Amino acid sequence: MATTFRLLSSRCLATATSTSTKAFGSRSLGAARHLSYLSQQSQLRHSWSQQQKHRSTPAHRPVVFRHSSGFSSTHDKVVAPPMVYISGEEMTHYATQLLVEQWIKPYFDISRWETYDLSCKSRDETEDKVLSEAVEAGKRIGAIFKEPTITPSAIQVQEMGLKKAWGSPNGAMRRGWNGITISRDTIHIEGIELGYKNQVLFERHAVGGEYGAGWNEVGEGTLLTTYIPKDGGAPFVVDKRDLTDKHNVCVVYHNPYDNVRELAHLFFKRCLEHHVTPYIVTKKTVFKWQEGFWATMKKVFDESYKDDFLKAGLLDRSGGDLQHLISDAATMQLIRWTDGGFGMAAHNYDGDMLTDQIAQVHRSPGFITSNLVGVSDDGSTLIKEFEASHGTVTDLWNDHLAGKETSLNPLGLVEALLGAMTHAAQLEADAKPKERKVQEMKAFVDNYAKTLREALHNTFRYGQGTRDMCGPTGFTTEDFIAKVAWRLDRYLVKQEHEKEAPPELAEEDLAIPADKMADFDQKAILKLFEKYDKTGEGKIDFKNFSKMLMKMGVAPTKKSS
């Protein structure tokens, strides 16, 4: 049995849920960051490609970790199925272009993807025609990846020289794709403790509520809200109120409930699949009109899912039945239930607020997915749009433009891209069940997604993450993407797991305190380790470890008898 000596620092990831002072206090990660790849310098080729038209980029160029005889040089690229790619701007656009170049294009021919630029400049130049085209393409194809975009403020309109403040594209997408729900789930990396120990699922009703409200500022008078039936029935007043203040804001909105049954089926199926306990959240004790949401969800549950949940033991924590939570109580439980293992479904606005809270408990929006689920006009096909739950990360983009190093964690972006790719593959496989090449394509996409996640997660687990996880000595945006590219290629070539599982990162594994690390010559340590790390995997086997100790004159000797 081979004995390995792994020189890695888990200090940077040991405190993922603790204070930033502790998480950023490690000086030892500088060694871990370089040990895994500096010894490979002589074997690696330098490659860099940037897909930027009007975005400025500094001169920093990363090392791209790719075997010269890698996967892509011995296999034909797989033709990726049709997918809509919506590009955004700023830091997330830059990072996504890098990972597409280094993680996707070496293995896939993406010529069937349709790309739509929803940057502010593009929307302004096309009078927002590009948004309409993107929505129509999404309706036709059914699988969409969207980079984060900017909804410009009045100040940004002036700064960018825009004709107007273009609104969020999300409303048009949800309407155009008959949005049912926005699924937001926690992302987990085995061995790294974040906020929730087990997965948390959330379904946010994708339509209705305050987001589509009509409103106006008015003075004293009477406000009538009148309903006029489409079938020609007699109109009636829904609400009448006398306004006695001289300054009022009147707001009118509604919640469409036709698709709540579809939302219920999606939610309960996912809870069963992920083995979590479901809860329904409303404020129906005060907002009586929300009773219908709960009643529909409960009816679907009792008719179609209760027995399955009971058999799976998933109702033990909820008293043997589907439980309703008042939204106020839900906010408290999200903080208390850090073991995870539950799912919640709520109205649009409540869902927005509660998922922001989940993101904070689970470290950041970068560890939460965001997936809009809609349906084709004929109801036959699910339309799915995937995006990260965070914005364009303007602060890092400004640093990037200033020529400074940045360190963006692309985990949410990658999950969204993989989600869109696997859904696109599923749609084509469903449409062509008897075509062998299509089924082979789907199998490849599924395996690729699994392998990329493994490469990505292991890079974090080996202490080679971005600075949000590893502190000031973590990888830069470019170097992290390059390191994952190297590991992905190696995994796809060998299609085997790392032979030794990474350590659990809940506690520090270094005996030397961080403040003492500064006393050591890190460059000399790196050079020595580089000499004996023959595989470039950040570890030394027993044979080379023995040679190193003997060379240093510190190897234990046999006691004379």
Side-chain angles (χ1 to χ4, degrees), residues 35 100 124 130 208 224 234 262 282 298 315 324 328 374 416 451 545:
L35 289 176
V100 167
D124 203 61
V130 64
L224 290 177
E262 285 74 21
T282 77
K298 184 68 164 68
L315 300 181
H324 174 270
D328 309 60
T451 306
F545 180 52

Side-chain angles (χ1 to χ4, degrees), residues 6 8-10 12-13 29 32-33 36-37 65 103 189-190 192 410-411 451-466 469-470 474-476 479-491 498 502 505:
R6 183 180 296 274
L8 292 172
S9 170
S10 66
C12 66
L13 300 178
L29 185 67
R33 173 186 171 188
S36 63
Y37 72 90
F65 300 86
W103 299 357
I189 301 173
E190 184 180 356
I192 297 179
L411 187 61
T451 306
L452 176 53
R453 284 191 179 98
E454 181 183 18
L456 179 67
H457 292 184
N458 279 353
T459 302
F460 278 111
R461 295 166 73 197
Y462 294 157
Q464 301 160 348
T466 46
M469 298 292 286
C470 295
F475 276 44
T476 64
D479 288 343
F480 178 77
I481 290 173
K483 183 62 180 179
V484 174
W486 171 81
R487 182 163 277 123
L488 171 65
D489 190 70
R490 188 168 69 87
Y491 285 6
E498 295 284 295
L505 303 181

Side-chain angles (χ1 to χ4, degrees), residues 353-370:
M353 297 300 102
L354 292 171
T355 51
D356 281 348
Q357 186 179 353
I358 290 172
Q360 293 308 310
V361 174
H362 201 56
R363 190 169 176 84
S364 82
F367 294 97
I368 306 290
T369 65
S370 184

Side-chain angles (χ1 to χ4, degrees), residues 389-536:
S389 286
H390 54 74
T392 56
V393 197
T394 302
D395 55 342
L396 290 187
W397 179 240
N398 290 335
D399 287 345
H400 177 77
L401 293 180
K404 300 177 182 178
E405 285 189 344
T406 65
S407 185
L408 175 71
N409 184 340
L411 187 61
L413 294 167
V414 177
E415 283 295 330
L417 186 55
L418 291 179
M421 291 177 67
T422 53
H423 183 59
Q426 184 65 59
L427 289 177
E428 186 154 53
D430 290 344
K432 302 174 181 178
K434 296 183 179 181
E435 292 193 19
R436 181 175 58 84
K437 286 188 176 181
V438 171
Q439 301 305 316
E440 290 176 349
M441 174 276 296
K442 180 183 181 301
F444 180 83
V445 171
D446 289 343
N447 180 70
Y448 170 86
K450 179 177 180 293
T451 306
L452 176 53
R453 284 191 179 98
E454 181 183 18
L456 179 67
H457 292 184
N458 279 353
T459 302
F460 278 111
R461 295 166 73 197
Y462 294 157
Q464 301 160 348
T466 46
R467 291 171 189 170
D468 61 325
M469 298 292 286
C470 295
T473 52
F475 276 44
T476 64
T477 303
E478 296 85 359
D479 288 343
F480 178 77
I481 290 173
K483 183 62 180 179
V484 174
W486 171 81
R487 182 163 277 123
L488 171 65
D489 190 70
R490 188 168 69 87
Y491 285 6
L492 287 172
V493 169
K494 297 182 179 179
Q495 277 300 304
E496 65 180 15
H497 297 286
E498 295 284 295
K499 292 183 178 179
E500 183 178 357
E504 289 292 327
L505 303 181
E507 298 180 1
E508 298 180 0
D509 62 356
L510 295 178
I512 303 173
D515 57 352
K516 296 293 185 182
M517 293 299 292
D519 297 336
F520 297 94
D521 187 338
Q522 296 295 306
K523 291 184 178 179
I525 295 174
L526 288 171
K527 186 175 180 180
L528 179 64
F529 187 83
E530 176 185 355
K531 180 177 180 180
Y532 293 98
D533 178 19
K534 301 299 184 181
T535 65

